Amino acid sequence: MYVIKPYEKKGQMMIVSKSSIPGLVGYLNKQVRLQFGIRSVEVTIHFSDAINKENVYLSTDVLKQLRLPLTCGYDLVVQGGKVTIGPFIGILCELTNRKLTEMLPTYSSFVKGYRYIGGAIAVFSIEGIQKEKQTISGYLYDPEKNSWEVKSLPFPAVVMSIAEPSLTASWEVFHEHMKNFDSLLGGRVFNYPHFSKWEMHQMLRSELKEHLPETTLYTNVEDIHDMLYRHGNIYIKPLHGRLGKRIFNVVKNGEQIKVKYDEKRKRHEEVFSSNAESHLFFQKHLISGAFLIQQTIPLKLHKGSVIDFRVMVAKNEKGLWENLGIYSRYGARGQIVSNITAGGHTEIARETLKTVWKLEDKEIQRVEQEMEHIVLRSIKVLEKHGYHLGNIGIDVGLDDNCQMSLIEINHQNPDPYIALMAKDRLAFYKCRFQLMRYGRYLGGF
């Protein structure tokens, strides 16, 4: 990495050692375009034998125009008459600056391998975006101090989103800013755009129908009774919900309809003696077009807990997908979902397949390979529809006979904390590291 230093004279100059950047040899006293994030300036190249190979001097005028921080180490890429300084990766983490500051210590995992990433790494919130000025206000990582410093910067060269705007008032402004980033940065925005559960089902059903439960969009109460007539046991889920919230399990037994759901962290159960009696309940809790109705997947039950699996994948420094870990999720006893946030727990999938499914090592390997195959097929379909993903968590159901069903694709913020909860620290840090390496790759480094 290069250390960039100020050259205390006016002008538009870049001064380097002749042997430090081979691609610049033919540009002595010529102009090149110098790029940092979204900003660029014309500079004249000068060589000096008195400069160390790792140092690059830029006129103070140039530094001001680029708003280039001098606390980071950078790589330089020469392509034709353009020199790119970077990488410059912005992570859109939160909706508000207050939450960004509160969560700041948790972002250290993104810079744990900084010496293999380099450049400027910034975290920011939706509130910190100044669209007209094309700047972000947030925190810049200082590798010397190993700390985050308050900073205003130009728009980055690469933007990764881990923000969670669904079901918030920030949903529309989030999409407005992300569309703007996408148009300016040309394919260097990832984990965007977002899709709903219904959109996911629509995209996947043509190629993975055998792994998908029957699903329909809720328009009125008759849709529920129609699905109950066919399956007897269904789930109703919000299109944009996360963390197992606002989910209803509905079971029909003769004329009786039983509904289980959680509200304000309390479990509820309602029993209705007829279809007509249940109408008011569903009309009160559901909105037409905002929920989907799904055939219940026959998940394994173990000591009162439902079990499913999370497959955690991320792109590497070459832009290729890698399976980083598969984890089983045990729902809290009696719960209708397996979400850890709803009181469940997790462990490495291999242990569950061995102790609960009673599989031998070869069978475990086959099951895990099949899960990975289904996940990669799903990602291929999503990418074909224009979704730019850097990491993803896909939930897979497994019945007693190891038949697999796709439950959900977590793409809005598929954070790898499940690996920490399963005591797989290496996978957690590897996921964060690979995201940054993928960002570096997108930036051309």
Side-chain angles (χ1 to χ4, degrees):
M1 284 188 279
Y2 296 96
V3 177
I4 295 179
K5 296 186 174 185
Y7 181 61
E8 303 291 346
K9 285 191 178 181
K10 290 187 176 182
Q12 303 286 108
M13 287 184 284
M14 176 178 178
I15 308 169
V16 296
S17 166
K18 192 171 185 178
S19 58
S20 64
I21 309 173
L24 287 177
V25 171
Y27 287 93
L28 176 62
N29 294 326
K30 291 182 181 178
Q31 283 195 331
V32 298
R33 179 155 291 277
L34 193 60
Q35 183 98 29
F36 176 67
I38 201 160
R39 296 202 173 189
S40 66
V41 297
E42 295 283 342
V43 297
T44 304
I45 301 297
H46 297 275
F47 296 127
S48 172
D49 294 331
I51 292 177
N52 291 334
K53 285 184 180 181
E54 67 273 12
N55 291 341
V56 173
Y57 283 85
L58 295 177
S59 304
T60 50
D61 288 347
V62 172
L63 293 173
K64 286 176 184 175
Q65 290 170 69
L66 292 178
R67 297 184 73 162
L68 181 79
L70 301 180
T71 53
C72 310
Y74 295 99
D75 286 324
L76 275 71
V77 172
V78 182
Q79 282 186 315
K82 178 182 170 184
V83 179
T84 304
I85 301 173
F88 181 9
I89 303 168
I91 309 171
L92 177 57
C93 300
E94 302 293 343
L95 309 183
T96 65
N97 291 333
R98 182 192 61 79
K99 189 67 174 178
L100 180 73
T101 302
E102 179 188 323
M103 298 299 292
L104 195 60
T106 67
Y107 307 137
S108 61
S109 53
F110 284 107
V111 293
K112 199 170 179 68
Y114 178 82
R115 64 194 178 111
Y116 299 103
I117 305 160
I121 299 171
V123 293
F124 63 104
S125 75
I126 290 175
E127 277 186 355
I129 302 170
Q130 291 87 42
K131 184 179 177 182
E132 292 75 21
K133 295 180 180 178
Q134 295 190 336
T135 61
I136 56 170
S137 296
Y139 294 89
L140 175 73
Y141 179 66
D142 184 332
E144 288 296 318
K145 296 178 181 177
N146 190 28
S147 64
W148 296 96
E149 307 294 327
V150 175
K151 201 78 176 174
S152 178
L153 298 159
F155 278 179
V158 176
V159 171
M160 167 172 61
S161 172
I162 63 167
E164 301 175 24
S166 67
L167 304 178
T168 74
S170 300
W171 179 251
E172 288 186 9
V173 71
F174 166 81
H175 283 283
E176 179 189 326
H177 284 308
M178 291 302 286
K179 285 176 183 175
N180 184 48
F181 280 135
D182 206 33
S183 66
L184 291 171
L185 302 181
R188 297 196 301 274
V189 177
F190 66 100
N191 288 352
Y192 180 81
H194 293 168
F195 50 84
S196 71
K197 293 180 178 71
W198 177 241
E199 288 167 332
M200 179 205 89
H201 186 83
Q202 295 286 89
M203 287 186 282
L204 297 181
R205 67 180 181 176
S206 61
E207 297 188 39
L208 289 118
K209 188 176 180 180
E210 70 275 20
H211 297 295
L212 292 170
E214 185 184 350
T215 303
T216 188
L217 189 65
Y218 171 77
T219 58
N220 58 55
V221 178
E222 290 306 316
D223 296 329
I224 296 171
H225 297 307
D226 184 46
M227 286 287 280
L228 280 173
Y229 175 78
R230 290 207 295 279
H231 302 292
N233 193 329
I234 60 173
Y235 272 74
I236 303 172
K237 304 175 182 179
L239 299 191
H240 296 284
R242 295 186 67 251
L243 309 176
K245 294 177 181 177
R246 298 170 71 203
I247 291 177
F248 302 86
N249 177 217
V250 187
V251 179
K252 187 174 177 65
N253 187 4
E255 291 299 310
Q256 188 184 78
I257 294 174
K258 186 184 290 185
V259 183
K260 293 180 182 179
Y261 64 102
D262 288 347
E263 191 171 64
K264 296 179 180 177
R265 298 192 175 185
K266 288 185 179 179
R267 297 176 196 173
H268 297 266
E269 186 173 301
E270 304 278 353
V271 179
F272 305 101
S273 58
S274 67
N275 288 2
E277 199 178 313
S278 68
H279 272 229
L280 284 177
F281 174 87
F282 291 126
Q283 287 172 346
K284 176 185 174 183
H285 286 87
L286 305 178
I287 300 169
S288 178
F291 287 80
L292 57 78
I293 310 166
Q294 202 163 64
Q295 167 194 3
T296 293
I297 294 169
L299 297 177
K300 183 90 166 177
L301 265 177
H302 181 68
K303 296 180 180 178
S305 294
V306 293
I307 303 174
D308 64 21
F309 296 85
R310 167 70 58 84
V311 184
M312 188 173 82
V313 292
K315 282 181 177 171
N316 61 21
E317 70 279 4
K318 295 178 181 178
L320 303 175
W321 287 100
E322 282 188 26
N323 175 13
L324 301 182
I326 304 176
Y327 306 95
S328 54
R329 304 190 307 167
Y330 292 73
R333 187 170 295 181
Q335 270 281 7
I336 63 171
V337 294
S338 62
N339 298 70
I340 298 164
T341 52
H345 69 278
T346 185
E347 69 179 7
I348 291 173
R350 174 169 288 273
E351 297 303 315
T352 305
L353 293 171
K354 185 178 289 186
T355 58
V356 179
W357 269 263
K358 310 295 183 186
L359 300 183
E360 299 293 333
D361 286 347
K362 282 189 177 179
E363 292 175 301
I364 291 171
Q365 185 179 18
R366 180 191 64 78
V367 168
E368 289 188 328
Q369 285 176 345
E370 189 175 343
M371 282 187 188
E372 181 180 337
H373 179 64
I374 291 170
V375 165
L376 294 177
R377 280 179 65 197
S378 302
I379 291 170
K380 189 175 180 181
V381 173
L382 296 175
E383 290 185 324
K384 189 170 72 177
H385 281 81
Y387 292 93
H388 189 173
L389 308 165
N391 68 311
I392 205 165
I394 297 188
D395 298 336
V396 178
L398 198 66
D399 68 12
D400 289 336
N401 300 313
C402 295
Q403 295 299 306
M404 295 179 195
S405 301
L406 274 170
I407 301 173
E408 192 168 343
I409 296 180
N410 303 274
H411 68 292
Q412 194 173 139
N413 177 19
D415 69 51
Y417 276 102
I418 190 169
L420 283 184
M421 295 172 190
K423 299 177 182 177
D424 191 3
R425 291 177 62 83
L426 181 62
F428 169 78
Y429 285 110
K430 186 176 181 183
C431 184
R432 286 280 164 92
F433 178 65
Q434 284 202 180
L435 280 172
M436 300 309 293
R437 293 283 286 175
Y438 178 59
R440 179 183 164 87
Y441 163 80
L442 279 183
F445 295 91

